[in-house]
Amino acid sequence: MYSLAIYLMMLGCNIAALFNKKVRTMMRGHRDTWRILRRQIGTSRYVWFHAASLGEFEQGRPLMERLRREHPERKILLTFFSPSGYEVRKNYDGADVICYLPFDTPFNAIKFVKMARPEAAYFIKYEFWRNYIDILHRNHVPVYSVSSIFRPGQIFFRWYGRNYARVLHRMTHLYVQDEASKQLLAGIGVNQVTVVGDTRFDRVIDIRNAAKPLPLVERFAGCWRVLVAGSSWQPDEDIIISYFNTHPNLRLVLAPHVVSEDHLRQIESKLQRPYVRYSTATPKSVAEADCLIIDCYGLLSSIYRYATVAYVGGGFGVGIHNVPEAAVYGVPVIIGPNNKKFREAQALLANGGCREIHSAADFAAIMDRFLSDKDELSRAGQAADDYIKQNAGATAVIAKDTLGR
């Protein structure tokens, strides 16, 4: 039944590829995998990391980079399923071979494992490809699940999903994020489990430690109190800009999730104080501006260091973006209400490092409190910092257990 579902998915994607560019790109990439493997694999054995998309890649990245540092003689194969992962990271220099992972049919699984000859495989978070894992298991290749998290509603714990749950028994070890996941797995007889937390915390610490200096942003921030709003959408911006326009003691760095000319002009039409885009900024113009609009990608993780308070967008729509990316700098974080499925956000709300808003009035009240009460600001920032530090270290545990094999 599982393989039948995969074949039906393939059929659907082939039809969708006729009308959807993203799906078409993915299907071409799947076909290209065999050529990449034939040309690049050679005679070496590879440590294989599979990430569905970009978020999972960031969780696997600390392990890949640790392997590269500690065992430079070993080769790394990195696969993606989604174009949003592969197309962004296809030139990542931390892996030796990068390609798509074709659909999980028995034929593809046998062919891929035969060509790639992995010595070990790491599947990140929610990736449980039954046919690939079956073939790896038959070939005595260690298979690890990294940063996985389980909930009662998942198919593994339903009566109709017990057959599929056998894939978990075939994994060499599962490194899960929390104790609840371990208990759920124990309930279906999966006991090769260790609670280590999420490697994403190690990744945000690595990013912070490698953050590049940004002289223009530093000059803009100066001695001002600065709100850094990252990955914002229009509902976030309506709330933030309304407050910013009436608080001349605050400067704003705004990094929208969508960087398009139409969206940038929409933002600028709402601003009633001087602003400048980062791409056209000069030392003189940033000193004279009250709002700095980040109209490019790749800078946000470094910009959060200049924040007095951080706002992470998406909570009034698609779901919040990367909260630890801001919290790692020891600043309080504000988020919208669509955050319930995000474990890090829930934990930060519980420990006081984060605040949730439902309206412009909520935002104004929280900002007023942070800007007027230094002790409150300090406590919230320290709570955010403590949370990141307390949850770091998963990579070291997994590496100690597995990378020395």
Side-chain angles (χ1 to χ4, degrees), residues 92-142:
Y92 170 59
D93 60 8
D96 299 282
V97 178
I98 304 174
C99 60
Y100 281 93
L101 183 62
F103 284 97
D104 189 20
T105 66
F107 174 80
N108 284 346
I110 292 169
K111 183 177 180 180
F112 186 93
V113 172
K114 183 178 180 179
M115 293 180 72
R117 299 190 311 279
E119 62 175 281
Y122 294 79
F123 286 73
I124 313 301
K125 200 170 184 177
Y126 295 126
E127 296 301 281
F128 301 100
W129 294 54
R130 178 169 176 171
N131 289 314
Y132 281 100
I133 291 170
D134 278 352
I135 297 302
L136 291 166
H137 179 74
R138 289 180 205 170
N139 283 274
H140 308 290
V141 177

Side-chain angles (χ1 to χ4, degrees), residues 59 125-126 146-151 174-182 193-201 343-344 387 391 394:
Q59 288 175 293
K125 200 170 184 177
Y126 295 126
V146 175
S147 292
S148 46
I149 188 165
F150 295 87
R151 298 181 178 89
L174 294 94
Y175 294 93
V176 301
Q177 293 190 30
D178 56 24
E179 186 64 32
S181 294
K182 183 177 181 178
V193 181
T194 303
V195 179
V196 296
D198 191 345
T199 53
R200 181 179 299 183
F201 292 100
R343 179 173 173 267
E344 300 93 340
Y387 175 70
N391 285 275

Side-chain angles (χ1 to χ4, degrees), residues 2 121 123 128-145 156 161-174 185 188-192:
Y2 173 82
F123 286 73
F128 301 100
W129 294 54
R130 178 169 176 171
N131 289 314
Y132 281 100
I133 291 170
D134 278 352
I135 297 302
L136 291 166
H137 179 74
R138 289 180 205 170
N139 283 274
H140 308 290
V141 177
V143 185
Y144 306 106
S145 177
F156 310 110
R162 291 303 171 92
N163 188 48
Y164 176 55
R166 287 188 300 177
V167 69
L168 303 177
H169 292 269
R170 291 185 170 88
M171 304 200 79
T172 306
H173 208 86
L174 294 94
L185 292 169
I188 58 172
V190 178
N191 297 304
Q192 69 282 18

